[in-house]
Amino acid sequence: MKQLEDFREEIEQCVKCGACRAHCPVFGAEKHEGRVARGKVALAGAVLDGEIDLEEKVLEDMSQCLLCGSCGAQCPNKVPTDEIVAAARRRIAEQKGLSSFGKGVAAVLGRPKLMDLLAKTGGKFSSLLFKKLPEDSGLRLRFPAPFLESDRTLPPIAGKPFRDRVPEVIEGREGEPTVAFFTGCGINYMYPAIGEALLAALKFVGVTVIIPKDQGCCGLPAVSAGAQETVEKLAELNRIALTRRPVDYVVTACASCNAGIGKIYADFGGEYLPLSERIADIFVFLARHGLPEKLAALPRAAKRKKVTYHDPCHLRTQGITREPREILKALPQVDFVEMEEAGTCCGLGGTYSVYHYDTSKKIGARKAGYIGASGAELVATDCPGCIMQLQDSINHAGGKARVVHVLELLMEALPDLSKGDKSE
Amino acid sequence: MLDSRIINALREVVGKDNVTTDKADLLCYSYDATQQKFMPEVVVHPSTSEQISRIMKLANAEKIPVFPRGAGSGFTGGSLPTGGGMVVTTERMDHILEIDQDNLVAVVEPGVVTEQFQKEVEKVGLFYPPDPASLKFSTLGGNVAECAGGPRCVKYGVTKDYILGLEIVTPTGDIITTGGSTMKGVVGLDLTKLMCGSEGTLGIITKIVIKLLPLPEAKKTMLVLFDSIDGAAQAVSTIVRNKIIPATLEFMDGRTIDCVRQATDLQVPEGARAVLIIEVDGDREFLDKQAQRIAEIIKPLGVVETRIAETPAESEALWQIRRSVSASLRKVNPDKFNEDICVPRSKLPDMIRKIDQIADRHGVPIVNFGHAGDGNIHVNIMIDKKIPGELEKAERAIEEVFKGALELGGTMSGEHGVGIAKAAYIPLELTEETAAYMKKIKKALDPNNILNPGKIFLDN
């Protein structure tokens, strides 16, 4: 992977105009120049020039980034601050070692069998570990765990991970393409219902689906922690798992996994490129198969729910904003309403929210305010991480909205769609 | 260096978390959009006027230079800590205190970001017109200190035209108010106007009373391509002579169009050597008529093509051509000097011709675009600083551009201010007597010369 030195030219392209201040969620919450792209790029340049060492304050500023990529996407000179910060974190890990949490991330993610075992154990004892809260409180469950704040609400761990529930190959109709489903950790261990909804959607389309059992985490949390070796190990593991059989697409229902495989693996180049090039977000895939048009042809339901959409950063920065909305707007049981600032980060940032929960909460609170103002009953999105963070933020704000994956809403309409579909 | 006694005193005023001497923090407050770097000795984040008052009293007693800073997005170095000392940043004083819909007045803290303020007032049908290119991130305090402009100034005027009153902390630490929240007010000297554009040398702005307008019902955007800059400039005069004042009248010269054409896939025909983006606003029913009228009266002036947007998306697509300029310039050369001269609008073609000659004479590419409606040209001198001699060439070209603007009855800065970037050229524009008069004001208000020293005047 690229080293900090490899970014010298990009660092010099920062003209310090300050445009990133408008787009950085961390800066919005903290109002400090060290928290914004311009400051981090200046610090990275100063480190390269030997003007400053990797002292504590530099480490702190570099840790204060969600890697959401909003700054780079809006930068007049397209300075890739998220990549520069990730390279700086790798440098910090090399010179100072991984943080204790980073070590934990690397140890667990880098060993999928251990992760599986931990999740299964967690799932088994879920009822003991989780504190059930009254239904009317708006809160779901609290999860007391090391590194996590006690006031955070999290979904329970699934009793049986998604990949253990489904066969490895689900045959589709003849002549239709073959896709691999990269489940990601969120769907596999916490939200198996999203995976089931995705399979239902793919079954409707008629493709053959392969869900390799031996796939692992995409590696994005390890990128965030600066754990380069773990990223490389996971990339190789997933490359083997996902390319064992020839597939036309690798679909994801998690924005972060999509970016992890599509962008991070693409940087490895070579034999990783065929995998990166085949990555497709599920809604981009479904839109290509004409699903919005088919949904729009269904009669509108008498009882509809007001639904808004949150853009996950890892899709928005790739320009994928239209397709999930097209599907939502076409759903017969949905009245779509656009919220203000739908495209700003929810504040999760993977490991960021563990290190900096207070700031993460501030960013989430802002988002919860926009959700409340939209009047939506449901917030739909395309990333399990965002679902977790948004629900936590709404709960803290005392809001009533529930967060769902767009696929869960699509699932409700699929029976009607299957009845009306003449292609079968 | 500031000793620990001073640092501790500052901590007592604003709390220890809001005072920093860490090298990483000092680095982060050492620059602005000029890309020059000056390290401060301490950075302070106050949150109230009273805190700033105490900071200034301490600084005045100890003779410590103080550099007020908003978003640090200025192009002339107005907020750079040129003399060490302390940076006082108002970025956390970011509350909109009041929007008075009965009197069309708002009161804000200086750290409010311009666009956020515009959005809030627009929610209740009101309008704050000044729209500097940096509006998404620059602060209203900085806008007032630099008297920011923008494309809409041709119809609506600049920042100072919307400031009714201010609360400021003086260089000696007093908190005073200027003006008020009434549309009229002639008691005493007009200190509000004096403060607008004073580049943080006379006081630190801590509250701003802003005049608002009703939000125009609609706007209509048109893009007109001309075969010469003369045609575009004549079009500007023709529109105004016909008693139409568009909300914006932006232009791009031939070299700018070449950059856009090379760097993007936006369709601009080969014959186009100048572009005007014209936007009219007001009652929806009049806009179509007004746009058609403009198209008719400028048609004989070498118009290659006229595009009129019918939807907001089409309007956005037209503006995209203007927005793509900044990024496309880097294709010319990596380093840019962005000057913002202003000439009487009828002199626009003369000035562009002068600039083209200067560019040819010195062998440096100069790309021009800007606000044709008010004669404000953004002159972008593109060089590669790494090539020996290029910087000197650019500096010679800049001086000639300033002189050229002044010869045509213009000014060397329409909206960026003087800061440190243009301080050396002040004698070109201001007479010795005028400069001396200004310096006397500064001396009277800031006897120890601690507030933003080294800005505007070299010997200040």
Side-chain angles (χ1 to χ4, degrees), chain B residues 302-319:
Chain B
V303 171
V304 176
E305 192 183 326
T306 300
R307 302 175 193 172
I308 302 179
E310 297 301 334
T311 63
E314 285 176 23
S315 170
E316 177 56 29
L318 297 184
W319 275 109

Side-chain angles (χ1 to χ4, degrees), chain A residues 13 15-19 21-22 27 30-34 38-39 42-43 46 51-52 57 76-77 340-341, chain B residues 22-25 27-29 31-33 35 37 45 69 71-73 91-92 94 119 123 136-137 327 330:
Chain A
Q13 279 175 358
V15 292
K16 308 284 184 292
C17 66
R21 290 169 67 104
F27 175 75
E30 297 277 298
K31 292 289 168 85
H32 187 288
E33 190 72 31
R38 183 172 62 165
L43 289 176
E51 197 180 344
I52 192 167
K57 202 74 192 30
N77 289 342
E340 203 178 332
E341 303 282 332
Chain B
D22 278 310
K23 192 172 179 188
D25 289 332
L27 263 166
C28 287
Y29 286 89
Y31 52 72
D32 69 358
Q35 298 185 70
K37 195 157 94 176
H45 275 92
R69 179 181 170 102
S73 56
E91 60 198 338
R92 288 182 191 162
D94 60 351
K119 281 185 177 169
K123 279 181 189 168
K136 283 181 190 295
F137 46 95
R330 289 188 63 83

Side-chain angles (χ1 to χ4, degrees), chain A residues 265-316:
Chain A
Y265 293 12
D267 287 344
F268 289 129
E271 55 192 342
Y272 289 93
L273 288 179
L275 175 57
S276 293
E277 285 161 1
R278 280 174 175 73
I279 199 84
D281 172 70
I282 182 64
F283 299 110
V284 175
F285 181 81
L286 294 175
R288 275 186 208 148
H289 283 77
L291 208 70
E293 293 79 6
K294 287 179 183 167
L295 286 168
L298 290 176
R300 305 284 293 160
K303 281 182 83 177
R304 297 189 296 274
K305 284 187 172 143
K306 204 169 174 185
V307 182
T308 193
Y309 180 72
H310 160 75
D311 291 281
C313 299
H314 286 127
L315 292 186
R316 177 175 45 80

Side-chain angles (χ1 to χ4, degrees), chain B residues 167-433:
Chain B
E167 178 190 87
I168 57 172
V169 175
T170 68
T172 49
D174 297 321
I175 301 174
I176 64 161
T177 56
T178 74
S181 53
T182 56
M183 293 301 131
K184 294 177 179 174
V186 287
V187 175
L189 301 178
D190 191 349
L191 298 180
T192 310
K193 282 279 193 288
L194 177 65
M195 287 300 298
C196 287
S198 64
E199 304 189 24
T201 60
L202 302 180
I204 300 183
I205 297 159
T206 48
K207 282 195 188 73
I208 309 167
V209 185
I210 297 176
K211 177 175 83 174
L212 299 167
L213 300 179
L215 183 66
E217 189 181 49
K219 56 189 174 188
K220 196 162 191 75
T221 314
M222 51 199 294
L223 181 131
V224 189
L225 303 162
F226 294 86
D227 60 10
S228 76
I229 188 74
D230 292 84
Q234 281 171 34
V236 173
S237 311
T238 305
I239 294 166
V240 175
R241 210 179 306 118
N242 276 270
K243 315 291 184 286
I244 302 170
I245 304 288
T248 58
L249 254 172
E250 291 287 283
F251 88 99
M252 295 186 283
D253 72 356
R255 291 186 199 228
T256 311
I257 298 168
D258 292 339
C259 290
V260 172
R261 210 184 271 119
Q262 282 165 25
T264 71
D265 53 5
L266 294 165
Q267 296 302 310
V268 186
E270 284 303 320
R273 298 310 300 158
V275 168
L276 280 185
I277 297 178
I278 306 167
E279 201 160 75
V280 287
D281 67 357
D283 292 347
R284 201 179 302 273
E285 59 190 290
F286 296 120
L287 293 182
D288 283 343
K289 209 174 137 191
Q290 207 168 41
Q292 286 303 333
R293 173 100 181 104
I294 290 172
E296 276 165 33
I297 58 177
I298 64 176
K299 204 173 178 181
L301 303 170
V303 171
V304 176
E305 192 183 326
T306 300
R307 302 175 193 172
I308 302 179
E310 297 301 334
T311 63
E314 285 176 23
S315 170
E316 177 56 29
L318 297 184
W319 275 109
Q320 196 51 41
I321 293 183
R322 172 70 176 78
R323 294 207 181 98
S324 61
V325 169
S326 183
S328 68
L329 292 185
R330 289 188 63 83
K331 305 277 175 192
V332 181
N333 260 327
D335 301 304
K336 175 173 84 166
F337 288 86
N338 176 357
E339 303 300 346
D340 68 317
I341 57 160
C342 195
V343 295
R345 57 185 155 217
S346 62
K347 303 286 187 192
L348 202 68
D350 300 330
M351 191 65 222
I352 298 290
R353 262 192 296 276
K354 268 181 194 271
I355 295 170
D356 282 346
Q357 286 161 7
I358 293 166
D360 292 342
R361 197 159 51 242
H362 294 284
V364 286
I366 305 184
V367 183
N368 305 295
F369 56 89
H371 319 308
D374 44 32
N376 189 187
I377 311 170
H378 288 284
V379 180
N380 293 272
I381 299 166
M382 308 303 302
I383 60 161
D384 185 346
K385 278 199 258 189
K386 290 193 196 88
I387 299 173
E390 286 282 286
L391 194 60
E392 291 72 23
K393 272 195 218 172
E395 280 167 358
R396 282 195 296 274
I398 288 168
E399 184 163 352
E400 288 184 25
V401 168
F402 290 158
K403 282 180 178 165
L406 294 169
E407 280 163 16
L408 293 172
T411 172
M412 61 185 196
S413 180
E415 53 186 19
H416 291 174
V418 176
I420 56 171
K422 296 183 187 182
Y425 304 106
I426 279 264
L428 295 177
E429 182 157 341
L430 301 182
T431 65
E432 219 171 285
E433 292 76 12

